[in-house]
Amino acid sequence: MTQQTTAATSPALDLDIPENLARALVTPRSYATGETTEAHRWLRANNPLGVARLEGFDPFWVVTRHEDLAAISRNNKLFLSGEKPTTLTDRATDERAREITGGSPHLVRSLVQMDAPDHPKYRALTQGWFMPQNVKKLEAAIRGIARKNVQKFLDTDGTCDFVKDVALGYPLHVIMSILGVPEQDEPRMLKLTQELFGARDPEQTRVMGEMTPQQLAMMIKMVLDDFASYFGAISEARRKEPQDDLATVIANAIVDGEPISDREAAGYYTIVATAGHDTTSTTTATAMAALADNPELLRALKADPSKIGAFIDEAIRWASPVKTFMRSASEDTELRGRKIAKGDWLMLCYESANRDEDVFEKPYEFRLDRTPNRQISFGGGGHVCLGQHLARMEMRILYEELLPYVASVRRNGEQRISESTFVCGLKTLPIVWERD
Ligand code: HEM
């Protein structure tokens, strides 16, 4: 089935954003080069809710302002996650995905692809695990993991790639221990996540060279099948022998009086296993990059470690590791004086909302004094990031443990950033540091 093209087919052409900017927004590499940052800046000033119209893509509204992104995220009845692809997908790949699934645009069905009535029921299954009061109970265990990673850092003895040596492994180990994945399988989980989020990054993908949409859809399907078969075995084990972990909750989940299907369970494992570390890793690394770039910041945090929470919030704003999510309108509606038609597709640009001049004073400065920090990296409304409290806590703990040992830090070569229109961030961060 072909995706219906209702998006902004009627509005006047002055709604359209310039083609070069639209092209940047759909190009994974532009998120690594900073081209999208410039596109966002122009769009916020000149056309904050315009339409991207490009060959090969269904047209979509580009949401660049904080206020609009928050309003759309809050209204889960009017702006759906499940009707159209939830992440940016070209028309050919979408068609291929629908062929594979028999009509659904989603190769995986997890919380992010669900709408009511299913979404609240499935979210409720694990919500308790991720609430602040429960996450707090994990603090001592997470501090233990943080200390081991600080030791790895200290062992680097002055020079390291902070991504490879610390930021990749730490959040991975935290979420995998919560989920119940044995430590020896963590490299496999990391690889699969990178293949999924970096499907079009030349260094992370499974397929060398340019991929056709068919190959892209097939490759993503293969990665998802690998996740499903891995977690299928875990599910079976947890049904036989329940443990105190999240896998046991998912494996034995009941919705409407019935055990959840294998497809839904696989989607659940996959979202927790993937969303739970890549985003947090790149943000952890971005926080270190900010320290390397602003010596004053390190001094301020060492003098008053109670500011580490504010530092982490600002790093989350600065990194904005989730670049985009898509929604579609369930009814005709109006936003910012523009008519959005039922079925229209919308791109939520988190990084842009996090640089919105109406909300953040000097948005291109990394600052500790944004109180409250209205960063919107975790989204909002019914789909607001389930792991936000965990993410904040684990990053705060790492820096509480790490900073007492660091007298100074600076960059030591070029950083590299992964290429994706969905989740991306630092994939290398060479630094030199001195011990306190
Ligand atoms: C959803 C960002 C860390 C689990 C989301 C969404 C965003 C996001 C933007 C979608 C919100 C929406 O559609 O409106 C981030 C960022 C993180 C982070 C920036 C780190 C800095 C984590 C962690 C977990 C996690 C550590 C741990 C399990 C999830 C899940 C969802 C989600 C399960 C789906 C929620 C739903 O659709 O109901 N996250 N995330 N995330 N995140 Fe995170």
Side-chain angles (χ1 to χ4, degrees), residues 82 97-98 100-111 113-114 122 221 224-225 227-228 231-232 235 239 250 259-271:
R98 286 171 196 262
I100 294 171
T101 58
S104 163
H106 314 301
L107 290 169
V108 64
R109 187 164 188 256
S110 75
L111 289 179
Q113 287 88 11
M114 288 181 185
Y122 280 83
K221 170 90 171 59
L224 291 169
D225 285 350
F227 268 121
F231 282 113
S235 256
R239 281 188 202 119
I250 299 171
I260 64 172
S261 72
D262 288 349
R263 175 161 154 81
E264 257 86 30
Y268 223 120
Y269 285 118
T270 306
I271 183 76

Side-chain angles (χ1 to χ4, degrees), residues 73 81 111-113 119 123 130 175 271-272 275-277 279-280 283 316 320-322 325 327 348 350 376-380 382-388 390-391 394-395:
S73 302
S81 298
L111 289 179
V112 284
Q113 287 88 11
H119 178 260
R123 188 163 162 123
F130 290 103
I175 193 65
I271 183 76
V272 174
H277 60 94
T279 46
T280 317
T283 309
I316 293 168
S320 297
V322 175
F325 261 118
R327 294 286 196 271
L348 306 182
Y350 296 91
I376 195 162
S377 295
F378 295 120
H383 286 278
V384 70
C385 176
L386 194 57
Q388 61 169 318
L390 174 67
E394 62 182 281
M395 290 190 276

